[in-house]
Amino acid sequence: MPPKRKLRSSIPSNAASAIAYTDQAGASPNKRSRISKPAPKAFTKGDDPIKDSDADARVATGRGFQDDEPQFDHSRPEERAGIVDRRYYPAEMSNERCGMYSLEEIPRPMEVLDAVLEETKTKREAIRHSKEGEAVIHYFKRDLRVRDNTGLSLASATAQKKGVGVIGVWIMSPRDWEAHLVSPAKCDFELRSLEVLKKELAHLDIPLHIEVVENRKNVPKALVALAEKWGVKDVFCNLEYEIDELRREEKLVKMMLDKGIGFYPQHDDCVVKPGSLHTGSGKQYAVYSPWFRAWLSYVHAHPEVLQERPMPERNPAGFRDGKFKGLFDCPIPTASESKALTTEEKDRFTHLWPAGELAALDRLSHFLTEKIGVYVATRNFPSKNSTGRVSVHHAAGTLAARTSVRMARDVNSTKKLDGGNEGIRGWISEVAWRDFYRHVLVNWPYICMNKPFKYEYTNITWEYSPTNFTAWTTGHTGYPIVDAAMRSLNSTAYMHNRLRMITASFLAKHLLLDWRLGEQYFISHLIDGDFASNSGGWGFSSSTGVDPQPYFRVFNPWLQSEKFDAEGEFIRKWVPELEDVEGAAVHNPYQAGGQAALVARRNGYPEPIVEHKFARERCLARYKAGIGRDTA
């Protein structure tokens, strides 16, 4: 059996800081965010992490209300379980405020940023077309590549026109990693990718400066300070679509302009930028199939969205030896203690997941030439290793989704994305899910605030059993396919998509644990952790998200196992207690009885922690009670 990865969580460790900040609204969570007040002990050194923050945070903490309002006993179990980390975020948003976003009664962060960009466009463009500035900055984030990089390409073009060079900047904020639950494996992958990126940029005489900013709120100030220090008048970056990041870019536009600097965030992370596709009534799609048809039509009508962005030019002669000479010696930092890997883990992940854009392109090319022919027929079988496995590169930005779709199209027999080779068609439709979940995130931003897309499902009464959660995380539930999947995650920092659906459904519907516990466990352990896709996947499996399976559809793990791991190859690889169980009995040894049960019991494999029929009936009853209706 492959070596296990060190486990880092059961019920989240921040739960203690959540004990004293929720209300006694009980079944009335709509009032929750207005009346919840943060516990002082949730903060360190008197630093309120949501001081002077957005309207949502002010509402959530009760700012602006009178001191004589009622006091509450702060006892909601989901918040005691650490669903919301109060060191960084306000209390859970109310259902009413979610509804206001849905009804377009309050502006979305993307709309606020767009408005600021439009208001400042004339001034920023005047700076961009001037001859001012000693260099141009490209601010790297989730775009750790030189090729097909919109922001970097535009930064280089601007620098060429001004006769100056480009400086790459990447900012490491340990608290940002903590707040976003970035896995140690992903932190390591990003740092290894930075090593590759630094070398690639150096070939173009472009330095990569890395700044460590402990407090995530100080990132904008740090970037402005670097621009001023270097005499930079133009700063480019590519957009990220989560709320924290959109609001950061809004601040940067204003802060930079106050210093006479133009800040130019670009759409790069999606093939089709969010807000481009609408239903017949002008709304954002909430169902994938019609959205995908619209996405295909848009790409076919606007083929330029797949065009490769020009490579950055080499910096001017002498740039490496002039004022910015010292920037070329900037070291790659090590991960913070909480994100550090053991030497064995680092070696394992380096072998499993080579870093950098060249590794990404090699892996994608291999998939498109060697595996694409059997992709549709085998993609749901975890033991087949027939998927692209480039999600880690999409998540870190060492590979653009645009590049993936273009390369797949270019090896097809047609330029139509929905024609030609069945495997290519199928794979492109899977890559498009990444765009879909980002479009949803931008239109319904409360998804970033610990709320499900179907926010009325907030009223479902979840379980918070540390024993059951630990059994799930460690792969000791007595359901072999679930246990094999979780053990593979803990060892490889990756899980096959079919297994993500099976394990997520099991946690939410068999164990009735709050789906957000599982969502957080995944994001804090996956090397390809991606908030939008992870949240979307958990919403689907728990039936609380966008375009989900109906809540009354409860995966039967036994049947899923028999269908997608028929020979038990994957189970036997990851659950050695069952490797000597013969035939189909490996899927459910205790039900099979006889020798299979004897082997499982002798090797210490647990019996199922919950009976399937009971779990299904309990799930349906709990969902019906929570949403107050019999339909999904």
Side-chain angles (χ1 to χ4, degrees):
M1 176 182 174
K4 292 183 178 179
R5 197 175 155 226
K6 183 169 60 180
L7 298 180
R8 287 182 165 80
S9 65
S10 52
I11 294 293
S13 60
N14 61 45
S17 70
I19 290 175
Y21 75 85
T22 41
D23 64 87
Q24 62 180 65
S28 303
N30 294 350
K31 299 178 181 179
R32 185 177 319 158
S33 67
R34 182 179 70 82
I35 57 183
S36 299
K37 296 195 169 52
K41 68 178 181 179
F43 312 132
T44 57
K45 299 182 181 179
D47 177 30
D48 183 340
I50 50 179
K51 182 179 180 181
D52 296 328
S53 187
D54 56 273
D56 291 322
R58 289 194 293 275
V59 170
T61 56
R63 285 184 168 89
F65 296 103
Q66 298 300 312
D67 291 337
D68 59 356
E69 286 190 322
Q71 298 300 304
F72 303 94
D73 70 359
H74 310 300
S75 62
R76 292 193 65 84
E78 64 267 34
E79 293 174 335
R80 290 206 313 274
I83 298 297
V84 182
D85 191 334
R86 291 294 284 161
R87 294 171 299 171
Y88 306 110
Y89 297 110
E92 186 180 318
M93 179 181 286
S94 70
N95 284 6
E96 290 98 340
R97 193 161 180 85
C98 293
M100 292 171 72
Y101 274 119
S102 291
L103 296 172
E104 302 184 352
E105 294 177 356
I106 50 178
R108 302 173 178 88
M110 187 77 250
E111 294 167 339
V112 175
L113 175 58
D114 284 341
V116 170
L117 290 172
E118 184 61 31
E119 289 169 7
T120 61
K121 181 178 179 180
T122 300
K123 291 182 179 179
R124 290 184 301 112
E125 287 302 304
I127 296 171
R128 183 178 174 185
H129 294 297
S130 74
K131 291 294 184 181
E132 295 183 80
E134 298 180 54
V136 173
I137 286 176
H138 176 70
Y139 171 27
F140 285 98
K141 292 175 288 179
R142 284 202 302 255
D143 58 333
L144 303 182
R145 64 187 185 276
V146 172
R147 296 161 185 81
D148 207 1
N149 185 320
T150 304
L152 178 60
S153 182
L154 290 172
S156 178
T158 300
Q160 289 289 309
K161 290 179 181 178
K162 295 193 173 194
V164 298
V166 173
I167 300 172
V169 171
W170 187 78
I171 296 178
M172 171 179 159
S173 175
R175 288 193 188 178
D176 209 48
W177 276 347
E178 291 290 339
H180 291 159
L181 302 176
V182 182
S183 74
K186 187 178 182 185
C187 293
D188 176 70
F189 185 83
E190 289 184 357
L191 293 172
R192 287 190 285 120
S193 295
L194 283 168
E195 290 275 11
V196 178
L197 176 64
K198 181 181 177 182
K199 293 175 182 176
E200 289 267 318
L201 290 171
H203 287 309
L204 299 171
D205 290 332
I206 298 174
L208 178 62
H209 175 79
I210 298 174
E211 190 87 357
V212 178
V213 179
E214 184 66 33
N215 190 332
R216 62 202 297 256
K217 286 185 168 292
N218 292 335
V219 168
K221 278 193 288 187
L223 190 59
V224 173
L226 289 175
E228 287 192 289
K229 176 182 177 181
W230 297 330
V232 166
K233 292 297 182 182
D234 303 274
V235 178
F236 288 80
C237 74
N238 292 316
L239 282 167
E240 298 166 299
Y241 295 116
E242 293 84 358
I243 284 181
D244 286 353
E245 286 67 30
L246 290 173
R247 288 177 173 152
R248 178 192 62 206
E249 315 306 40
E250 177 202 345
K251 290 178 181 176
L252 278 167
V253 172
K254 297 174 181 177
M255 291 172 66
M256 292 279 188
L257 199 55
D258 285 344
K259 301 293 185 179
I261 302 166
F263 183 67
Y264 317 99
Q266 305 297 316
H267 289 280
D268 179 76
D269 199 28
C270 292
V271 176
V272 176
K273 76 175 185 178
S276 301
L277 308 178
H278 302 96
T279 65
S281 59
K283 304 292 185 181
Q284 163 67 34
Y285 289 94
V287 178
Y288 178 76
S289 294
W291 175 90
F292 181 56
R293 289 192 293 270
W295 184 89
L296 286 170
S297 296
Y298 187 94
V299 175
H300 290 155
H302 302 84
E304 68 277 3
V305 300
L306 290 179
Q307 289 179 356
E308 183 173 359
R309 286 22 176 183
M311 277 278 289
E313 299 287 342
R314 182 180 296 276
N315 269 347
F319 192 86
R320 181 184 282 272
D321 300 317
K323 173 182 177 180
F324 303 109
K325 178 180 180 180
L327 299 182
F328 287 89
D329 299 323
C330 186
I332 305 296
T334 57
S336 55
E337 184 178 354
S338 65
K339 302 298 181 181
L341 297 173
T342 66
T343 301
E344 188 276 329
E345 286 174 326
K346 286 178 70 71
D347 290 344
R348 189 189 332 148
F349 294 143
T350 298
H351 172 73
L352 289 171
W353 309 106
E357 64 180 312
L358 294 180
L361 294 169
D362 284 346
R363 178 165 287 194
L364 179 56
S365 296
H366 176 74
F367 169 70
L368 293 174
T369 56
E370 302 295 330
K371 299 182 180 182
I372 198 68
V374 297
Y375 173 73
V376 170
T378 61
R379 69 183 179 87
N380 277 308
F381 302 98
S383 65
K384 300 298 183 184
N385 190 24
S386 61
T387 58
R389 297 211 172 189
V390 293
S391 55
V392 60
H393 293 287
H394 287 154
T398 47
L399 178 68
R402 173 178 59 252
T403 307
S404 291
V405 173
R406 184 180 63 250
M407 287 179 64
R409 179 202 64 186
D410 290 349
V411 299
N412 203 352
S413 58
T414 174
K415 296 302 181 185
K416 293 292 185 182
L417 303 185
D418 53 349
N421 183 285
E422 180 186 39
I424 293 173
R425 293 201 315 269
W427 190 71
I428 287 175
S429 72
E430 292 300 315
V431 175
W433 274 98
R434 187 176 179 277
D435 266 23
F436 175 66
Y437 284 136
R438 279 160 171 70
H439 287 209
V440 168
L441 196 67
V442 167
N443 198 74
W444 290 283
Y446 57 80
I447 293 172
C448 282
M449 305 175 191
N450 300 288
K451 297 293 285 189
F453 172 79
K454 291 188 170 185
Y455 51 84
E456 66 272 22
Y457 280 42
T458 302
N459 292 349
I460 294 170
T461 302
W462 301 104
E463 300 292 318
Y464 295 90
S465 165
T467 299
N468 284 352
F469 186 63
T470 298
W472 180 82
T473 61
T474 60
H476 290 86
T477 67
Y479 284 75
I481 192 65
V482 173
D483 296 339
M486 294 306 298
R487 295 183 193 189
S488 73
L489 167 63
N490 293 330
S491 178
T492 68
Y494 177 81
M495 189 187 289
H496 185 280
N497 189 59
R498 170 56 57 176
L499 298 177
R500 296 188 198 203
M501 290 190 283
I502 293 172
T503 54
S505 177
F506 185 85
L507 176 131
K509 294 185 175 180
H510 276 69
L511 302 182
L512 265 182
L513 291 170
D514 192 321
W515 62 275
R516 293 170 294 187
L517 292 172
E519 177 196 36
Q520 291 183 357
Y521 189 84
F522 269 27
I523 203 72
S524 62
H525 287 76
L526 287 166
I527 197 166
D528 64 348
D530 174 283
F531 177 84
S533 297
N534 188 55
S535 175
W538 274 92
F540 172 84
S541 295
S542 65
S543 300
T544 63
V546 66
D547 197 9
Q549 62 178 350
Y551 77 79
F552 46 78
R553 184 185 179 199
V554 180
F555 274 171
N556 182 325
W558 314 127
L559 297 181
Q560 291 284 309
S561 182
E562 292 169 4
K563 184 175 182 180
F564 299 113
D565 190 31
E567 302 301 318
E569 183 180 350
F570 187 82
I571 290 173
R572 291 187 179 91
K573 175 180 180 180
W574 291 103
V575 186
E577 302 99 295
L578 303 180
E579 63 184 353
D580 294 329
V581 174
E582 297 182 356
V586 74
H587 300 290
N588 191 353
Y590 290 109
Q591 184 181 68
Q595 186 65 22
L598 287 174
V599 171
R601 190 170 287 112
R602 182 177 67 239
N603 292 337
Y605 186 69
E607 295 191 30
I609 61 174
V610 64
E611 196 270 325
H612 172 66
K613 185 174 183 291
F614 162 79
R616 186 178 189 281
E617 291 173 351
R618 179 180 64 167
C619 170
L620 297 183
R622 198 73 65 86
Y623 272 68
K624 287 179 183 178
I627 65 177
R629 61 177 187 265
D630 292 337
T631 59

